[in-house]
Amino acid sequence: MERILIIGAAGQIGSELTLELRKIYGNSNVFATDVKDAPADIKESGPFQLLDVMDDKHLIHFVIRNKITQIYHLAAVLSGNAEKLPTQAWHINMDSLMNILEVAKLVEDVRKVFWPSSIAVFGNSTPKTGTPQLTVMEPSTVYGISKLAGERWCEYYHKRYNIDIRSLRYPGLISYKTEPGGGTTDWAVEIYFEAVRKKSYNCFLSEDVSLPMMFMEDAINATIKLMETDKANLACHSSYNITGPSLTPRQVAVDIRRHIPGFDITYHPDFRQSIAESWPSSIDDSELRTSIIWKPRFDLQQITDSMIEEIRNKV
Ligand code: AKB
């Protein structure tokens, strides 16, 4: 029987992944944790506890006491926020991962770990379109450097200690339940909320910067599929490329006008523009698609339809 620990259960991915995992493994077997309070549905449907992944002693006690068999470590400081406090972000992103890897090494019951990487591992010298799985990687942000270092550590723990760590290089994730915080791809969520709330959006990127994106439902399905796939089918022990549609702010704005004809967008690029320009505009994720037999379901129109409908229900 699986007993699953989610670190970062109140965040953009955790708040949806926790509920999906509870449907599969049973509410009482999925332990949601975060340093902050979680949404009501997370707290009401199963165990929730405040837990700081930086506190290695508390973490290992929690894992042993609750007989945890799988860990999803989702907590991180994202690209935009990390540029404001580089050394703190490095410390949080790296030390939290090292604490998880050490727990997986020391506690025999822990059989699998999931840790997200990001398209931020790529940089200006990476091929911009159809970015392959294996390519030049010279990230220019502290977030990207921490994700690339994390990938190398995951592969190291796999080779050296035979720890089963699985990872995806998420693109920008578009979701309506919990808004992201501090990322460069946040515009692709904010634009929908502001369209419904105010019929206008002031975008912090220029109109034609194209970035790989993915609807949260596709990201959750791929993550669970990756974790359920037989280990023998997985050749990559650092992190797999994954993507949905590549989108520019202008394309999304035009699509939103199918629902909100008067929607107005202005562009005032800030420091995140150069981060976005250093990332790929499209990704080749064929290696993942053959390893786990998966493909995304949502294109731009389906994403827009779901986002507008769900946000209208919420607001
Ligand atoms: C960010 O923008 O920092 C994240 C990411 C692409 O990893 N959403």
Side-chain angles (χ1 to χ4, degrees):
M1 190 180 63
E2 299 294 346
R3 291 171 68 82
I4 300 174
L5 168 60
I6 314 279
I7 301 202
Q12 191 198 9
I13 305 169
S15 61
E16 301 204 32
L17 184 62
T18 302
L19 299 180
E20 279 312 304
L21 289 171
R22 282 183 176 160
K23 283 186 204 157
I24 300 170
Y25 295 101
N27 288 348
S28 58
N29 294 321
V30 179
F31 296 77
T33 70
D34 207 300
V35 282
K36 58 177 190 239
D37 201 16
D41 54 359
I42 299 276
K43 292 195 291 187
E44 283 157 16
S45 62
F48 171 76
Q49 196 178 307
L50 290 175
L51 179 75
D52 184 357
V53 63
M54 302 296 279
D55 181 346
D56 55 345
K57 291 194 179 58
H58 193 185
L59 175 69
I60 198 162
H61 284 143
F62 188 96
V63 168
I64 293 170
R65 198 173 55 246
N66 292 296
K67 298 185 170 50
I68 296 297
T69 62
Q70 293 187 23
I71 304 177
Y72 287 72
H73 172 28
L74 307 172
V77 183
L78 298 184
S79 55
N81 277 351
E83 290 309 299
K84 294 176 193 157
L85 294 166
T87 50
Q88 284 95 325
W90 171 260
H91 172 60
I92 292 170
N93 289 356
M94 292 318 298
D95 291 1
S96 65
L97 174 62
M98 297 312 284
N99 285 348
I100 295 293
L101 294 176
E102 277 299 294
V103 165
K105 185 180 96 184
L106 296 171
V107 183
E108 223 178 299
D109 279 350
V110 178
R111 297 183 305 99
K112 268 187 230 175
V113 174
F114 178 82
W115 170 80
S117 184
S118 160
I119 52 163
V121 292
F122 302 116
N124 284 308
S125 51
T126 304
K128 268 247 161 311
T129 54
T131 302
Q133 175 68 36
L134 203 57
T135 185
V136 179
M137 292 160 107
E138 294 184 318
S140 55
T141 61
V142 70
Y143 173 67
I145 299 169
S146 73
K147 288 294 183 189
L148 182 54
E151 286 191 11
R152 303 324 306 150
W153 275 113
C154 288
E155 191 169 278
Y156 181 88
Y157 270 70
H158 169 74
K159 280 207 176 117
R160 174 108 197 238
Y161 306 113
N162 199 24
I163 312 279
D164 187 357
I165 306 161
R166 305 182 182 197
S167 175
L168 296 169
R169 290 175 182 148
Y170 287 135
L173 297 179
I174 304 181
S175 65
Y176 50 82
K177 188 178 172 200
T178 307
E179 293 181 59
T184 302
T185 58
D186 291 9
W187 69 267
V189 177
E190 289 171 6
I191 192 171
Y192 288 107
F193 276 89
E194 297 289 281
V196 173
R197 284 181 191 136
K198 298 197 220 151
K199 292 193 174 175
S200 67
Y201 178 56
N202 180 18
C203 186
F204 58 78
L205 296 186
S206 64
E207 60 183 336
D208 279 327
V209 61
S210 171
L211 287 170
M213 297 285 171
M214 175 170 271
F215 195 51
M216 185 60 84
E217 196 177 310
D218 279 330
I220 301 282
N221 288 340
T223 304
I224 294 175
K225 192 108 200 258
L226 175 71
M227 288 298 269
E228 287 180 344
T229 296
D230 195 303
K231 196 178 169 193
N233 295 343
L234 303 175
C236 170
H237 300 288
S238 55
S239 189
Y240 279 101
N241 278 4
I242 181 169
T243 194
S246 286
L247 303 173
T248 67
R250 187 153 56 95
Q251 284 172 321
V252 177
V254 168
D255 204 44
I256 286 174
R257 289 194 193 110
R258 284 189 298 114
H259 295 268
I260 305 170
F263 175 61
D264 182 38
I265 183 162
T266 49
Y267 302 95
H268 289 100
D270 67 12
F271 71 100
R272 288 167 283 189
Q273 176 72 19
S274 63
I275 300 179
E277 283 171 357
S278 76
W279 290 352
S281 55
S282 64
I283 296 279
D284 173 359
D285 62 0
S286 48
E287 202 166 315
L288 174 77
R289 290 191 194 201
T290 46
S291 297
I292 69 168
I293 326 272
W294 170 88
K295 63 176 172 25
R297 283 201 314 116
F298 287 81
D299 61 16
L300 172 58
Q301 295 205 347
Q302 290 159 308
I303 293 174
T304 301
D305 294 348
S306 297
M307 289 295 284
I308 301 283
E309 189 189 331
E310 296 292 344
I311 297 168
R312 275 185 176 148
N313 290 341
K314 253 177 110 145
V315 174

